[in-house]
Amino acid sequence: MIKTYFKKACIIAMCISLLLSSTSIVHAKETGWEEKDGRWYYYYADGTTPVGEVTIDGTGYIFTAEGYVLDKNETLDLIDSAQSGYGVKPIGDYEPSPEIVQKIESELSSIYGTGADVGFMLIDPILKKGLTSNADTEFFSASSIKGIYVAGLVYSNPTVLTTDYNTINSIITYSDNDAYSSLFNKYGNASHISWFEMSHVDTSHGSWSYTNYSSRMLAKLWTSNMFYFYTNSTGYQLGQMYQNPNASAIHATLGGTYKTQTKAGWVNEPPRYISTTDGGIVYKGNGNHPIIMAINSNYPCNQDILNGLVSALNEASDEIMNQGLSLRESEKSEDTENPLDTDETIPDQKDETAPAAPVYTWKCNSTGWWLEEADGSYPHSTWMKMDGYWYYFGEDGYMASNEWIDGYYLSINGAWDYEPTGSWGLNSKGWYYMDTSGWYPKDEWSKINGTWYYFNSSGYLTITWPY
């Protein structure tokens, strides 16, 4: 299991996601897994179910708003259900506001005004809603295909991430054409075709190193990337490379606020190869609510032309999450009898000898999350248990996440949900950090007790930051 630090983002959509996860249906059963109607649910000690990307016992899962484990085919079917043709068209039961439609149409018009064509798809797999326009016109992929090829290759042959690490990093981070040609010539197209097939995309599009595809196709391919990047440990490590590309409209517009994983393409070699395209994932809410974006155009070689459309689609995703929250609140208030309830009751584990616990409220701003009491005070430099999970709050009061504190690893949502504990070790080769499962960081930065450390390919400490 590979851990890395993700910048915490806190705008109103994050608060929405936290509230959304807290509105899960109460279930009077023991903590653990339960199968119902062919779907798997996980219940916390307080009877609620997780929402979004959540790690349980060291394994990553993606949960729907209803609380069950999302199957990739469900998202692919949602994408297939999208209407074709021009005009802003909703997916699922999303009802876009006139303001959102107007903003998106305005951005599309500005691209059309240059003489170029454009298509997009926005998918919220957790809430099963989205938007699209011109979903099926095919455009030249340019370098956006590199992010698809590499994911499929590493999925088929995980050792490639180690043996060809520098080549892959050059391809994903810097869009190095020579590195991509070298990798494709070395390993061929078998894994590429397989990745297209697994994504329910016509495999003929995966036969070549570059291709043409539609926004619908690109959204489906990024659905496969999304599942691989979170539910597989090697995929998780690979996904880190997609976070800081040298060019991407999605990353440039939203990367300062959210974690993003993207791979863009751009070219201007008329008459055949003219394209500006971008695809990827934006992690909203508390960093665990993935949004898939796919944008294709035949505008010549300029990612900036897509920035306004990306911004408008981001506002649409905020609205989708708002509508999802309203729906869950409505269901909760109207659900007078939970069909999952039994005569069992959750034991009262309250310590009667303890003083009354203070009431805390989650708060967030552009820096991060914290807990606040009614009088405005907040915990700092301490561990706190909330809703069955332990969190750590630093000296400044902000919640720690994606780092090791006192030997415990705190996940992307700040919760301690990874059982193995870590500690420093020293041998004749130097210092290393290893947890009780045998995992140790290598070729990456890790944050340990507030300090950043870089470990080389053998897992030994080489750099400390601050120096």
Side-chain angles (χ1 to χ4, degrees), residues 242-257:
Y242 290 69
Q243 290 176 216
N244 292 293
N246 66 336
S248 162
I250 297 172
H251 179 72
T253 305
L254 304 178
T257 305

Side-chain angles (χ1 to χ4, degrees), residues 61-383:
Y61 300 91
I62 304 176
F63 290 87
T64 67
E66 293 87 351
Y68 63 82
V69 176
L70 178 64
D71 184 276
K72 184 175 77 171
N73 288 333
E74 188 172 1
T75 303
L76 296 177
D77 289 344
L78 177 68
I79 294 171
D80 277 335
S81 74
Q83 301 177 61
S84 298
Y86 289 89
V88 178
K89 302 178 185 297
I91 302 172
D93 61 358
Y94 175 36
E95 299 178 1
S97 66
E99 292 80 10
I100 289 294
V101 173
Q102 182 179 13
K103 286 183 179 181
I104 294 175
E105 287 181 341
S106 175
E107 294 300 333
L108 293 174
S109 294
S110 68
I111 298 174
Y112 296 144
T114 67
D117 196 7
V118 61
F120 75 82
M121 186 164 285
L122 172 76
I123 295 291
D124 185 327
I126 307 304
L127 292 167
K128 293 174 282 189
K129 304 171 189 281
L131 276 179
T132 189
S133 177
N134 193 19
D136 294 312
T137 296
E138 295 182 12
F139 299 85
F140 183 61
S141 67
S143 291
S144 64
I145 192 63
K146 297 172 183 174
I148 305 304
Y149 177 78
V150 168
L153 176 62
V154 176
Y155 174 84
S156 297
N157 187 357
T159 60
V160 171
L161 186 58
T162 301
T163 59
D164 297 84
Y165 181 92
N166 291 333
T167 300
I168 290 173
N169 186 56
S170 294
I171 293 169
I172 300 303
T173 303
Y174 304 107
S175 203
D176 188 317
N177 290 333
D178 292 337
Y180 179 54
S181 295
S182 172
L183 195 72
F184 195 93
N185 290 335
K186 181 177 181 180
Y187 293 102
N189 65 2
S191 63
H192 202 35
I193 292 172
S194 177
W195 200 244
F196 274 66
E197 183 176 17
M198 291 170 59
S199 306
H200 300 180
V201 175
D202 183 349
T203 56
S204 66
H205 292 268
S207 298
W208 309 99
S209 56
Y210 295 93
T211 191
N212 294 328
Y213 47 36
S214 66
S215 296
R216 189 191 304 271
M217 295 176 185
L218 186 55
K220 294 169 82 172
L221 291 163
W222 267 100
T223 295
S224 291
N225 283 21
M226 176 188 73
F227 275 86
Y228 183 46
F229 289 169
Y230 192 75
T231 63
N232 180 281
S233 59
T234 303
Y236 193 92
Q237 182 183 10
L238 174 64
Q240 298 174 42
M241 292 186 175
Y242 290 69
Q243 290 176 216
N244 292 293
N246 66 336
S248 162
I250 297 172
H251 179 72
T253 305
L254 304 178
T257 305
Y258 308 103
K259 169 192 165 185
T260 63
Q261 293 173 321
T262 64
K263 183 66 192 81
W266 57 96
V267 66
N268 185 21
E269 297 178 7
R272 185 175 178 184
Y273 303 121
I274 305 174
S275 176
T276 296
T277 184
D278 202 3
I281 311 164
V282 181
Y283 293 86
K284 306 190 73 169
N286 197 25
N288 68 336
H289 192 129
I291 302 293
I292 297 169
M293 288 189 186
I295 307 174
N296 289 323
S297 81
N298 58 2
Y299 188 87
C301 197
N302 185 353
Q303 286 288 306
D304 290 346
I305 194 69
L306 303 182
N307 290 350
L309 180 56
V310 169
S311 181
L313 294 179
N314 181 56
E315 290 187 44
S317 69
D318 284 344
E319 185 174 76
I320 288 172
M321 294 174 72
N322 268 299
Q323 289 185 7
L325 174 62
S326 299
L327 175 62
R328 291 296 296 278
E329 291 287 4
S330 173
E331 289 175 346
K332 184 180 179 184
S333 64
E334 295 173 3
D335 190 15
T336 58
E337 182 178 355
N338 181 2
L340 298 179
D341 281 345
T342 70
D343 292 331
E344 302 173 9
T345 57
I346 300 174
D348 186 359
Q349 299 177 350
K350 180 180 178 182
D351 182 0
E352 298 296 343
T353 64
V359 177
Y360 291 102
T361 302
W362 284 102
K363 300 282 188 178
C364 66
N365 60 20
S366 59
T367 301
W369 290 89
W370 73 94
L371 287 174
E372 188 170 292
E373 290 190 60
D375 63 0
S377 61
Y378 53 88
H380 55 89
S381 301
T382 188
W383 289 90

